[in-house]
Amino acid sequence: MSPTPPERGGYADAATAPILSGMYPDPSICRVGEEYFLANSSFEYSPGVPIWHSRDLVSWRQIGNALTRDEQFPAGRSPSSRGIYAPTLRHHDGRFWLITTNIDDVRGGHQIYHASDPAGPWSAPVCLSQLDGIDPDLTWDDEGTCLVTYCSWSETEIGIRQVAVDLERRLVLEKPRWIWHGTGLAHSEGPHLYRRGDRWYLVIAEGGTDRGHVVSVARSLSPRGPFEAAAHNPVFTHRSTAHPVQNVGHADLVERPDGSWAAVYLGTRPRGRSPRFHVNGRETFLADVRWVDDWPQFEPARRHVPTEQRDFEDDFSAPALDPRWVSPGQRPDRFVHNAPEGVVVGHVPSETGEPSGLFTRVGGDHWEADFVVDPDEGTFTVALRLDGVHWYGLHVAGGEVTAVAQIGPVRSVLRARPLPGSPVTLRVRSTEPTWNGPDDIELGIDDGTDTDVLARLDGRYLSTEVAGGFTGRLVGVWTESREVVVRRVRYSERRA
């Protein structure tokens, strides 16, 4: 059985529910005809930059990952919350174009890729090593000149710079120019440029990607400026409100075929007692955009999101791994191979010490993940991971399974029990909180009749508010020695 799509059993309001639940931050979107394509940041995880397809902006299917080779993203060399930062995805002259920043690449600068099919393969990068900063954007002026607009950290200034480039000759054509320093808030970043009518609009993020996050806009008659800021900036924010979606910003706009506009943006869903805790990372949300006096006005999207579109059951019988599977260490194709009964996961170290394992993002309010494995003589761990030093897991070795909690430098070994006969189902579950946090995490083993819960742990310690960084939770399996056969993984999200 190959990975099967879920039945569409329920819907949620797009004003408060993400269109992509889980760690899918910094969304960038483009439209080709009736179809939409979207890319996200991926940080240390490989393969990098998930690529999505939709026809309605609320039902999305992952069609691939853009960065699948070492020449694009050297796997296993980026520690937690580093690696691949915010991309921009565009379509121009029959090609898809992707620009992003790998902040750990020795080649430096922003990197540009192209593909005829957004599902891949994507080209080797054009590296703009002369440029500093992050969050690059691609657009083309009326003469067809490509402009890269980005967040610059040059010298003592932070703001938005721009430079013309020749993609065919791989040349930067001019000295970078400052075009806007924002409205005076911190961290002017995430720029995107759009043409609408006679004007060009520069949309940026400000305030940092935490609770003060906002969207601001300026406009000009030229993509090179000078830019006039909207008098009512910020044009979109949830700061200092009780809205269930916080940290909103880093928006990218798209025009629908009927001439109306929408925006995708990142947000978080903090829960629990103050300061409240978000655990899924920054997720992708949808807004409607209405133009008032030739300025964009963000409004709640009047759409419904399928609540079960992330559920899956995978028995790994397909010839290739589903694109949902990623690794914080080496790429999966270096330590995973097919077997008649599932996939074999081996042990391959990474330069950073991050585990080379099969991981998938989690995202619901509450959820359950079952890993059906043949332990054999391997030593391995099934775990929920926020980063390399914040995870809860089930460690299997020597015929026993042990619940383990890693919180910073402290590793706690909790209850252990003998393994039942093979295969065995190891279960990680997010459930209702008992410690005023976002959730509790249960670590258990299914013995065929019931779940033996070895530990129930406070979910706050696997949150961004505790661990810091830019990522969210993933659940997966890695080995410390020998191999383990993973027969099947089932994952389902439940809304509280």
Side-chain angles (χ1 to χ4, degrees), residues 43-45 78-83 85 103-104 386-387 468-471:
F43 298 96
E44 71 266 29
Y45 291 94
S78 293
S80 296
S81 286
R82 291 183 63 87
Y85 278 24
I103 64 170
D104 297 315
L386 188 75
D387 61 30
F470 302 120
T471 60

Side-chain angles (χ1 to χ4, degrees), residues 89-350:
L89 179 65
R90 295 291 183 257
H91 186 265
H92 178 74
D93 279 351
R95 280 183 179 179
F96 289 89
W97 295 88
L98 179 77
I99 185 169
T100 188
T101 311
N102 178 357
I103 64 170
D104 297 315
D105 198 319
V106 295
R107 294 170 293 187
H110 309 302
Q111 301 180 353
I112 303 174
Y113 307 82
H114 64 82
S116 58
D117 183 342
W122 288 79
S123 69
V126 172
C127 298
L128 305 179
S129 57
Q130 307 96 314
L131 307 183
D132 68 315
I134 57 171
D135 298 358
D137 174 76
L138 280 179
T139 195
W140 287 260
D141 67 15
D142 293 337
E143 287 73 43
T145 301
C146 181
L147 299 175
V148 174
T149 307
Y150 60 100
C151 167
S152 175
W153 298 328
S154 180
E155 301 149 5
T156 59
E157 292 185 86
I158 297 177
I160 308 304
R161 272 183 161 176
Q162 186 184 85
V163 65
V165 300
D166 185 324
L167 295 178
E168 299 301 327
R169 294 189 294 159
R170 303 186 174 208
L171 295 177
V172 173
L173 301 176
E174 60 183 340
K175 182 179 178 180
R177 295 168 282 102
W178 294 106
I179 60 171
W180 196 28
H181 283 85
T183 67
L185 296 178
H187 306 297
S188 299
E189 56 193 11
H192 291 302
L193 263 175
Y194 315 91
R195 176 71 177 269
R196 180 180 180 270
D198 294 332
R199 290 191 172 99
W200 289 83
Y201 291 84
L202 177 58
V203 175
I204 69 169
E206 292 188 282
T209 193
D210 300 309
R211 296 293 196 268
H213 213 196
V214 306
V215 176
S216 299
V217 62
R219 68 188 182 189
S220 173
L221 293 176
S222 165
R224 292 167 172 80
F227 284 92
E228 164 204 5
H232 56 292
N233 275 324
V235 295
F236 182 48
T237 185
H238 288 167
R239 62 184 183 182
S240 302
T241 71
H243 198 286
V245 181
Q246 289 293 316
N247 302 38
V248 301
H250 205 107
D252 196 11
L253 277 59
V254 65
E255 185 177 10
R256 297 185 178 100
D258 65 3
S260 64
W261 287 67
V264 291
Y265 63 94
L266 69 80
T268 67
R269 293 180 290 164
R271 292 176 284 158
R273 185 170 293 179
S274 180
R276 305 177 73 209
F277 303 86
H278 76 277
V279 298
N280 298 335
R282 297 167 300 159
E283 304 174 289
T284 293
F285 292 81
L286 178 70
D288 287 328
V289 174
R290 188 162 61 95
W291 294 87
V292 178
D293 296 327
D294 286 326
W295 292 106
Q297 178 175 300
F298 285 67
E299 299 178 342
R302 296 178 292 275
R303 306 296 298 275
H304 291 91
V305 182
T307 56
E308 298 173 5
Q309 63 179 330
R310 290 267 294 137
D311 295 4
F312 71 88
E313 185 169 347
D314 195 345
D315 68 356
F316 303 101
S317 59
L321 281 176
D322 190 278
R324 69 170 61 91
W325 296 109
V326 295
S327 170
Q330 296 287 350
R331 283 196 315 273
D333 59 16
R334 292 185 172 170
F335 58 87
V336 173
H337 64 267
N338 290 89
E341 61 273 26
V343 291
V344 177
V345 179
H347 175 66
V348 177
S350 67

